Amino acid sequence: MSTDSTGLPPTPGQTVGPFFGYALPFDGGADLVPRSHPAAIRLHGTVYDGAGEPVPDALIELWQADEHGRVAQVQGSRARDCWTFTGFGRTPVDDTGHYSFTTVRPGATAGVQTPFFAVTVFARGLLHRLVTRAYLSLEDAVAAGDPVLTSVPEDRRHTLVAGEDADGYVFDIRLQGTDETVFLDFGEA
Amino acid sequence: MTQTSEPLSSGPDSASASQSAIDAEMAAISTAYDASLRQGGRAETQPRLDYAPYRSSLLRHPTKDLHHADPEGVELFAPVFGHRDVGRLESDLTIQDGGEPVGERMVVTGRVLDGEGRPVRRQLVEIWQANSAGRYIHKRDQHPAPIDPHFTGVGRMLTDDEGRYRFTTIKPGPYPWRNHRNAWRPAHIHFSLFGTDFTQRLVTQMYFPGDPLFALDPIYQAIVDPAARARLVATYDHDVTQHEWATGYTWDIVLTGSRRTPMEEETA
């Protein structure tokens, strides 16, 4: 699919900078469901730079379908009422580069075999936002013939797959270096 | 790119390079880009992720090409924001904290459009900025300029049916940062926007016309195409300026095209 050649040129991105801290994070931003939710799981990980050091000033956004594969389209994605699942989360990393969301396991959306979390990464030093996917299981996704995972070279596929721990999933993000995360381009520019 | 004069052991954020060294690096990248255009290369509409004059990008840019994907499932949609997400007074940054902030009061307005020129309606626009002295209210901002007790520098609102947004605020000041010796950022306002698809998500910065710091700033110059970076500069608009009250600026924002098959909602 090519972009419309008669279209308007997009506004360029710029870094989120280090001082987003009092503007973008909001109460409950990391909690897509309350921890007491019967299906609550944790999705968490650490953002690393090319030297393997944690990035302490990144911001992560999460966007996902609910357990049944439904994409919420109700207003109030930034509001938190503890009842409505909006599928949107946003959290800064802590001083050790670690982020953590409380959420549910996404289901597969209509027409898509393999469920995934859609993840956006912002940070000082990162001149334009990066987007990626966190899949839940490599074997299932490849078995399902997921078009993105199967098109990624085999030795990099694991960077798109969240590991499992006792509470849910672990998805580390490596901006550079060995095991650099596969970041996606939707052909938008 | 050569790094010969800057031992890496001094660290990418050591602020040791001179402005003239940074200028020379930026000029070399610009010259190479011009040459590639002359040879039929593509214009670049987004900043380079690997822009070495911006030292913080050295260890944080992906070294491998982004992997092409067609958006599917949840990616064909975006979060939906509404009046539950935004307080009515949050678009006026001059009334948030019990007194008048210091500085040049101004109105910033414009439209949010998608790549086909359609208004992006009822979408969340978030902004944040330094005060008129160039200081953010943030524990990591150590610039010794005054904190304005009446200015938090945070605003948000929803676009209207024409995709229009409108903020009242104070013109931010330029401020020093530690990219290199005597580095100063041009005055700017940060913007965060979503659009209707996950793929349209954008965080960017709006600048002011005629800023003498543009040519010196490696964040602005990381958009190597001059026409593309000019799209981040607002226009002074006397029709937006208000009699004895505020100056006015206009700035339109274009998100990428929607990738979703058009639905009835868009034909209404």
Side-chain angles (χ1 to χ4, degrees), chain A residues 129-133 135 146-157 159-160 180-188, chain B residues 49 62-72 75 198-199 259:
Chain A
R129 51 93 178 127
L130 293 171
V131 295
T132 187
R133 291 179 179 182
Y135 288 91
D146 181 82
V148 170
L149 260 191
T150 52
S151 68
V152 169
E154 232 170 295
D155 62 343
R156 298 190 69 204
R157 283 180 195 165
T159 71
L160 293 176
E180 179 177 307
T181 300
V182 172
F183 297 105
L184 303 178
D185 159 29
F186 295 102
E188 61 264 29
Chain B
L49 293 172
T63 59
K64 300 182 169 67
D65 287 342
L66 303 184
H67 185 84
H68 177 77
D70 286 322
E72 56 182 350
E75 290 163 340
F198 173 78
T199 60
R259 305 297 297 274

Side-chain angles (χ1 to χ4, degrees), chain A:
Chain A
M1 193 155 28
S2 67
T3 42
D4 182 2
S5 59
T6 63
L8 299 172
T11 300
Q14 290 273 265
T15 175
V16 74
F19 301 137
F20 59 81
Y22 59 102
L24 296 179
F26 57 97
D27 287 349
D31 301 323
L32 286 78
V33 297
R35 280 176 203 185
S36 55
H37 187 287
I41 58 156
R42 188 182 196 205
L43 173 71
H44 66 116
T46 301
V47 183
Y48 295 100
D49 70 14
E53 296 294 323
V55 170
D57 44 17
L59 180 86
I60 307 297
E61 285 181 353
L62 185 67
W63 174 232
Q64 65 166 100
D66 73 8
E67 299 154 89
H68 310 291
R70 286 185 298 243
V71 181
Q73 291 287 284
V74 291
Q75 290 189 0
S77 288
R78 197 178 165 281
R80 288 293 186 259
D81 66 7
C82 292
W83 293 99
T84 314
F85 182 80
T86 69
F88 174 67
R90 174 194 279 170
T91 187
V93 298
D94 65 18
D95 288 345
T96 68
H98 188 254
Y99 71 91
S100 178
F101 291 103
T102 308
T103 187
V104 293
R105 193 182 201 279
T109 51
V112 180
Q113 304 276 333
T114 318
F116 59 85
F117 298 99
V119 176
T120 313
V121 186
F122 305 90
R124 174 180 67 88
L126 188 56
L127 280 153
H128 190 36
R129 51 93 178 127
L130 293 171
V131 295
T132 187
R133 291 179 179 182
Y135 288 91
L136 307 185
S137 158
L138 188 58
E139 292 74 25
D140 292 354
V142 173
D146 181 82
V148 170
L149 260 191
T150 52
S151 68
V152 169
E154 232 170 295
D155 62 343
R156 298 190 69 204
R157 283 180 195 165
H158 66 277
T159 71
L160 293 176
V161 180
E164 292 186 39
D165 70 7
D167 301 317
Y169 298 99
V170 186
F171 186 66
D172 291 335
I173 297 167
R174 291 180 171 78
L175 298 175
Q176 194 183 88
T178 312
D179 281 345
E180 179 177 307
T181 300
V182 172
F183 297 105
L184 303 178
D185 159 29
F186 295 102
E188 61 264 29

Side-chain angles (χ1 to χ4, degrees), chain B residues 16 31 34 40 50 62 68 86 105 134 146 220:
Chain B
S16 54
T31 302
D34 290 345
D50 56 340
H68 177 77
V86 181
R105 189 185 297 110
Y220 181 68

Side-chain angles (χ1 to χ4, degrees), chain B residues 2-18:
Chain B
T2 59
Q3 297 270 329
T4 48
S5 61
E6 293 298 326
L8 273 177
S9 59
S10 65
D13 296 331
S14 64
S16 54
S18 65

